[in-house]
Amino acid sequence: MTDKPANTMWGGRFAASPAAIMEEINASIGFDKRLAPQDIAGSKAHAAMLADQHIITAADAAEIVRGLDAVKAEIDAGTFTFSRALEDVHMNVESRLKTLIGEPAGRLHTARSRNDQVATDFRLYVRDRLDGFDVAVARLQSALATKALAHAGTVMPGFTHLQPAQPVTFGHHLLAYVEMFARDRGRFADARRRLNESPLGSAALAGTSFPIDRHATAKALGFDRPMGNSLDGVSDRDFALETLSACAISAVHLSRFAEEIVIWMTPQFGFIRLSDKFTTGSSIMPQKRNPDAAELSRAKVGRIAGAFQSLLMVMKGLPLAYSKDMQEDKEVTFDALDSYGLALAAMTGMVLDLEPVPEVMAAAAGRGFSTATDIADWLVRELKMPFRDAHHVTGRIVALAESKGQTLDQLTLTDMQSVHPAITQAIFGVLSVEDSVASRLSYGGTAPQNVRKMAAEWVKRLEI
């Protein structure tokens, strides 16, 4: 049997091509081809720097840039053929470049390695996705804040342990997520700031003997500065870990809201309606309207958190600098970022689409003795009772109402005074859900005037 021709990209060290199974496990082009725009941008910056430093001629650099533009045009048009035999996106681009421009293509790889090349591409890609997420999360916040403003006075039950706790407003509930997503954007911004250093020029691991200008390539690619250690430059993936961590946290926020949409859509709750745009039917039960978009968004957190854990396990035992294990960084990251982006878009669409059912929410807000805390607060304010004593008295009033099968506002003054004789008729002024929410005037509280003010501030802040 005759060996296949050697892989010329590897140089003269290897006399034969790899076994089929080696090619199968080694190739990454199936997923890393999406890095082609970043790879080409990095190569153009590198070529320009090489020419500026007189490491290659200006004519060769111009040919390289021309050829790279042609390669990008083919990729954008969908006519570029990616070859599995060439392993990865870097080799595919370089091979096509050589076909297009000949000898100058061979000078492009001067003073760099695939190690710093892929590290640069990956950082550029993650940075681009973070920029997109910041805009997308802001859109979700804007949708939430706008709806919160419209429903600043729409009363609904607030829950703890999924049991009725105290009345709140729908607007107040939505603003809770606006605040959560603001912190998510902060985490994305932090991750972006830390990743925005350039590995390009670290070469394989030790730097290079060529007189390169790493500050020039960093600036050309929009990085704040070059990374300060070449070993760190090629072996670091904590920027991907931090991004996945931030995505996982934000996906949990998406998932929690998706879970509430699922609950609120049930006939047992009936708090909101979603149109046909974000629901599906059943193959056998014609009455069904299933909130599948919310359920799928809820499920995405598993893939995203799983990707974070997967990359942690890849990196946990690797010595410096580069190991081939790190090829496993991209596929899980790509999948997680795609999953997060899709869930984010779906949730934004559902927020814009959903409409509350105020009469159902208001009726539910009064169940479960939800204004009991207002009684305790009244006893403290009006009778100067210690809160713990007031809590005990209120508990007895709730027990009385429960035994009589009545709500708190259905009890008579005589009923109330049988528990504590100092109670007056004025207590009935705090027992409605409307009075309850209106009284929560503390900063960040659910009082409608608070919610209107805060929602309006968010709407203005999020104008994009």
Side-chain angles (χ1 to χ4, degrees):
M1 182 185 297
T2 303
D3 285 328
K4 292 188 292 182
N7 186 331
T8 56
M9 290 294 179
W10 286 0
R13 171 65 179 82
F14 292 84
S17 291
I21 192 65
M22 178 60 190
E23 184 175 302
E24 181 71 21
I25 197 172
N26 195 48
S28 60
I29 190 61
F31 52 85
D32 71 11
K33 61 186 177 183
R34 72 165 69 189
L35 294 177
Q38 290 79 19
D39 192 69
I40 290 170
S43 290
K44 289 170 71 174
H46 185 66
M49 180 276 296
L50 292 176
D52 288 343
Q53 295 298 107
H54 306 293
I55 298 171
I56 65 174
T57 67
D60 281 346
E63 271 297 281
I64 289 169
V65 169
R66 182 188 67 79
L68 288 170
D69 285 339
V71 172
K72 186 175 186 303
E74 291 178 3
I75 293 171
D76 291 344
T79 59
F80 187 94
T81 300
F82 289 98
S83 169
R84 186 177 180 83
L86 293 172
E87 296 182 21
D88 58 32
V89 65
H90 323 297
M91 293 297 201
N92 271 266
V93 169
E94 186 175 332
S95 177
R96 181 58 179 156
L97 182 66
K98 184 176 181 181
T99 300
L100 291 173
I101 69 170
E103 182 184 5
R107 305 187 191 284
L108 173 60
H109 210 55
T110 306
R112 75 173 183 184
S113 161
R114 278 194 297 176
N115 293 354
D116 62 334
Q117 191 177 353
V118 69
T120 303
D121 295 355
F122 199 18
R123 279 177 182 261
L124 289 171
Y125 177 85
V126 172
R127 189 181 71 184
D128 290 343
R129 296 303 300 267
L130 284 171
D131 289 344
F133 290 157
D134 182 69
V135 173
V137 177
R139 289 197 186 103
L140 174 55
Q141 287 181 286
S142 181
L144 287 163
T146 300
K147 191 139 290 187
L149 185 59
H151 293 282
T154 301
V155 177
M156 68 174 290
F159 298 95
T160 62
H161 309 279
L162 206 55
Q163 301 295 314
Q166 292 177 286
V168 296
T169 71
F170 188 53
H172 189 61
H173 195 107
L174 296 180
L175 286 181
Y177 285 101
V178 175
E179 298 284 345
M180 292 182 210
F181 292 124
R183 294 192 294 274
D184 293 337
R185 290 177 68 196
R187 277 181 279 270
F188 289 145
D190 287 344
R192 190 196 192 283
R193 177 174 54 82
R194 271 184 285 275
L195 76 74
N196 205 37
E197 297 182 348
S198 174
L200 192 58
S202 297
L205 75 162
T208 177
S209 59
F210 290 95
I212 62 173
D213 184 349
R214 293 190 61 209
H215 289 84
T217 51
K219 182 178 180 180
L221 294 170
F223 289 111
D224 294 330
R225 64 191 66 84
M227 296 183 73
N229 183 282
S230 60
L231 286 168
D232 183 41
V234 299
S235 63
D236 162 60
R237 293 297 184 271
D238 61 12
F239 68 92
L241 284 167
E242 184 173 11
T243 297
L244 291 176
S245 173
C247 285
I249 293 169
S250 187
V252 167
H253 293 155
L254 292 173
S255 181
R256 294 183 74 180
F257 190 39
E259 170 70 6
E260 292 188 320
I261 289 174
V262 171
I263 292 171
W264 293 343
M265 277 281 291
T266 62
Q268 292 82 359
F269 275 73
F271 285 2
I272 63 168
R273 297 189 182 99
L274 277 175
S275 76
D276 294 347
K277 296 177 183 177
F278 291 96
T279 56
T280 64
S282 164
S283 64
I284 191 172
M285 295 169 284
Q287 82 282 9
K288 294 295 290 298
R289 181 188 290 275
N290 301 320
D292 282 7
E295 292 171 359
L296 290 166
S297 297
R298 182 178 60 186
K300 294 296 184 185
V301 69
R303 295 173 71 159
I304 298 164
F308 174 63
Q309 185 67 21
S310 176
L311 186 53
L312 274 179
M313 293 303 99
V314 168
M315 300 302 297
K316 72 174 181 62
L318 298 186
L320 298 182
Y322 182 84
S323 297
K324 194 69 170 183
D325 312 52
M326 291 163 69
Q327 183 167 291
E328 294 295 313
D329 59 358
K330 285 172 284 297
E331 195 167 12
V332 292
T333 302
F334 294 159
D335 181 76
L337 300 186
D338 290 347
S339 295
Y340 175 72
L342 184 57
L344 187 56
M347 291 301 298
T348 303
M350 281 185 282
V351 169
L352 292 169
D353 184 68
L354 71 83
E355 287 299 331
V357 185
E359 63 275 16
V360 175
M361 285 184 168
R367 298 190 195 115
F369 312 108
S370 64
T371 57
T373 304
D374 297 275
I375 294 178
D377 290 347
W378 185 90
L379 293 170
V380 171
R381 279 196 314 271
E382 302 300 322
L383 303 186
K384 309 306 179 186
M385 191 179 294
F387 182 80
R388 286 301 172 199
D389 293 345
H391 187 282
H392 179 73
V393 169
T394 303
R396 290 175 60 197
I397 292 172
V398 169
L400 176 62
E402 194 170 34
S403 70
K404 293 169 72 72
Q406 295 178 335
T407 61
L408 292 173
D409 59 352
Q410 290 174 331
L411 292 175
T412 66
L413 179 59
T414 301
D415 291 330
M416 295 276 194
Q417 289 175 338
S418 72
V419 176
H420 196 285
I423 292 175
T424 69
Q425 186 69 31
I427 199 169
F428 290 93
V430 302
L431 295 184
S432 74
V433 292
E434 290 78 14
D435 288 332
S436 177
V437 297
S439 71
R440 307 297 171 184
L441 289 165
S442 58
Y443 182 80
T446 194
Q449 67 187 72
N450 285 12
V451 176
R452 287 188 189 93
K453 182 175 183 293
M454 189 66 76
E457 288 176 0
W458 273 113
V459 168
K460 184 175 181 181
R461 194 184 313 176
L462 292 164
E463 288 177 351
I464 51 176

